[in-house]
Amino acid sequence: MEPFGYRDERLHCEAVAASKLVAAYGTPLYVYSAGAIRGRLSELAGAFATLDPLLAYSVKSNGNLAVLRLVAAAGAGADIVSGGELYRARLAGIPGERIVFSGVGKTVSELAMALREGIYAFNVESAGELEALNELAIALGVRARMALRVNPDVLSPTPHHYTATGHSTTKFGIPFEEARALYRHAGGLPGIDVRGIDVHIGSQILDVAPFQRAVQRVVELVADLRADGHRLEFLDVGGGFGVSYTGEPGLVPRDFADALVPLVRPTGLRIVLEPGRYVSGPAGLLLARVLYVKRMAGKTYVITDAGMNDLLRPSHYASYHRILPEHHDPGRPEVVVDVVGPICESGDFLALDRRMPHPEPGELLAVDTAGAYGFSMASTYNARPRAAEVLVDGAQHHLVRRRETYADLVLPEVELA
Ligand code: LLP
């Protein structure tokens, strides 16, 4: 099912007209399709069904509680990278035994919080973190189920180098050559329960080959670890499954499964997946209103009420997002424009040199495939209250985060007497 499309030339999310949502909630507005989130989770679970998958949805991609409740209801879990994400996941009803904790900089209080929640696994990324986890677990009288995140030294073809994490010259994971020795050490620590092995090579990867290379390396290590007496239970292949930002058909879970299942199956290990964008990206879009259209030095600027504080990706990673008119009118002339926001920086844009039907002031535009790393990376820069978020389910729509107010902006501040 396509979550967004035109009916009678007007953009809809499932059965609800975008214009109706804007009339109710204003702009800028994030709109999510519940059907798309459910559907994408179940496609992933189905494709990897033979490996008893734990689908640990990556909360950082979109951590709205309503989204996390859909994840919980689907029987999926969470990949978290902070105490705040753990708090969100638990609040939304995702049980501790379905949560994995990744990240290079977990604090002592975050580790303690996760130990108390009895999470499925800590993906440990340094010797120092291993020591801290061991000491805390002993102090709390528990054993920490853990995996080492191994750096496989695989270069992954991500659209921007900021989101490639599998090569040896990044801060991520334990160097491949050092992993076996650190596992040996971990095996002797009383607070540590060695359970698995973890790898994550980057985000928005549209080629199965780098995943295969990484998993292949890790599978070789599994044999060594078993020879050393570790009783492994799972192999976490991380996230990073790419989606199509162009409207062209992208890869589907079956493609990733066909590439990875034959590698993992012989190990007998359970697979853990940490998909974020694959689940939430195509399930959301950002609605904005055109404020002004102006021409300067031969260029046309379409100025919308959504800016880089609402959707950072185009500015930060030069990411491409389609811009769709709310009113599809095939007769309209096309122009090449920059779609920009109200923020006082030249880097504030949603699209550059984009050919599109000539937008008029007052009309609505949709930034496509904005459900992942959209709202979750939004800020209040320029003292702009963050956008509202709406969840559409069939013909129903629910406000799942109200628009921030000016009072919200200053709420945490402490005024000096
Ligand atoms: N697991 C780990 C350990 C991760 O670091 C990430 C993403 C994921 C899973 C989920 O990756 P996904 O399936 O969503 O690709 N802000 C960037 C993306 C940063 C991804 C960071 N880590 C963007 O907007 O493209």
Side-chain angles (χ1 to χ4, degrees):
M1 182 203 70
E2 286 303 318
F4 304 104
Y6 291 95
R7 276 195 201 174
D8 299 329
E9 313 291 0
R10 311 310 292 225
L11 184 65
H12 281 64
C13 175
E14 301 196 18
V16 184
S19 60
K20 185 172 170 182
L21 295 171
V22 168
Y25 309 113
T27 52
L29 183 67
Y30 274 100
V31 181
Y32 310 127
S33 155
I37 292 167
R38 288 191 199 102
R40 301 180 76 81
L41 283 167
S42 100
E43 269 177 71
L44 274 166
F48 287 93
T50 55
L51 298 179
D52 182 26
L54 170 60
L55 225 58
Y57 167 70
S58 199
V59 173
K60 66 172 83 65
S61 71
N62 184 329
N64 184 286
L65 292 174
V67 171
L68 297 181
R69 283 193 193 281
L70 293 173
V71 169
D79 159 54
I80 58 158
V81 290
S82 68
E85 289 189 352
L86 177 55
Y87 176 78
R88 281 186 171 277
R90 291 292 298 114
L91 203 58
I94 298 174
E97 68 259 26
R98 287 195 232 139
I99 294 177
V100 299
F101 194 174
S102 309
V104 296
K106 307 176 189 81
T107 66
V108 164
S109 66
E110 288 173 325
L111 291 171
M113 186 177 167
L115 278 171
R116 287 196 192 93
E117 293 291 351
I119 65 166
Y120 185 73
F122 291 83
N123 289 332
V124 169
E125 302 213 21
S126 64
E129 182 190 336
L130 182 64
E131 297 311 319
L133 184 60
N134 178 48
E135 281 170 27
L136 265 171
I138 293 168
L140 292 173
V142 293
R143 291 184 81 203
R145 297 168 50 91
M146 60 75 74
L148 288 185
R149 174 169 173 183
V150 175
N151 184 315
D153 196 15
V154 165
L155 206 54
S156 54
T158 55
H160 194 282
H161 65 275
Y162 285 179
T163 53
T165 58
H167 48 294
S168 61
T169 50
T170 66
K171 66 180 177 181
F172 297 100
I174 307 287
F176 194 82
E177 303 67 32
E178 295 171 23
R180 191 172 181 180
L182 195 57
Y183 265 109
R184 258 192 217 126
H185 175 62
L189 297 175
I192 296 294
D193 185 8
V194 173
R195 287 292 175 141
I197 184 159
D198 169 49
V199 67
H200 169 80
I201 57 171
S203 193
Q204 182 55 12
I205 302 168
L206 285 167
D207 178 2
V208 298
F211 287 104
Q212 286 178 306
R213 280 198 292 277
V215 170
Q216 188 77 59
R217 290 208 82 184
V218 166
V219 165
E220 285 161 20
L221 195 54
V222 164
D224 291 342
L225 297 179
R226 282 182 162 153
D228 292 346
H230 298 290
R231 285 215 281 276
L232 301 180
E233 158 189 319
F234 69 86
L235 194 166
D236 184 340
V237 299
F241 305 142
V243 301
S244 169
Y245 280 93
T246 60
E248 301 295 311
L251 291 182
V252 294
R254 177 64 42 211
D255 300 320
F256 293 107
D258 286 348
L260 299 183
V261 171
L263 298 176
V264 179
R265 191 106 192 238
T267 67
L269 296 174
R270 173 182 205 196
I271 197 169
V272 178
L273 303 156
E274 302 174 356
R277 186 190 321 262
Y278 187 83
V279 176
S280 57
L285 49 71
L286 172 64
L287 294 173
R289 196 177 286 285
V290 177
L291 299 173
Y292 308 106
V293 178
K294 75 170 179 178
R295 274 189 70 76
M296 273 171 70
K299 271 188 98 93
T300 301
Y301 295 94
V302 175
I303 303 162
T304 72
D305 63 2
M308 65 188 282
N309 74 300
D310 300 299
L311 181 66
L312 186 61
R313 305 192 69 259
S315 171
H316 194 54
Y317 310 108
S319 305
Y320 178 94
H321 286 261
R322 287 195 302 164
I323 310 277
L324 310 171
E326 181 273 324
H327 183 196
H328 176 67
D329 173 5
R332 240 198 295 189
E334 293 211 325
V335 278
V336 175
V337 301
D338 282 4
V339 181
V340 302
I343 301 253
C344 301
E345 295 204 21
S346 299
D348 177 27
F349 53 82
L350 299 173
L352 296 179
D353 296 319
R354 188 65 59 83
R355 177 172 292 281
M356 61 187 291
H358 198 299
E360 300 293 339
E363 82 165 283
L364 296 172
L365 297 177
V367 187
D368 192 34
T369 319
Y373 307 106
F375 188 90
S376 67
M377 294 180 79
S379 77
T380 59
Y381 185 41
N382 278 203
R384 287 167 48 80
R386 279 178 295 180
E389 295 175 283
V390 173
L391 184 72
V392 174
D393 196 354
Q396 309 274 320
H397 52 94
H398 310 278
L399 184 66
V400 293
R401 193 180 207 274
R402 66 164 171 80
R403 184 173 305 287
E404 283 180 356
T405 64
Y406 294 143
D408 289 332
L409 292 180
V410 296
L411 199 62
E413 291 181 31
V414 181
E415 289 208 74
L416 298 181

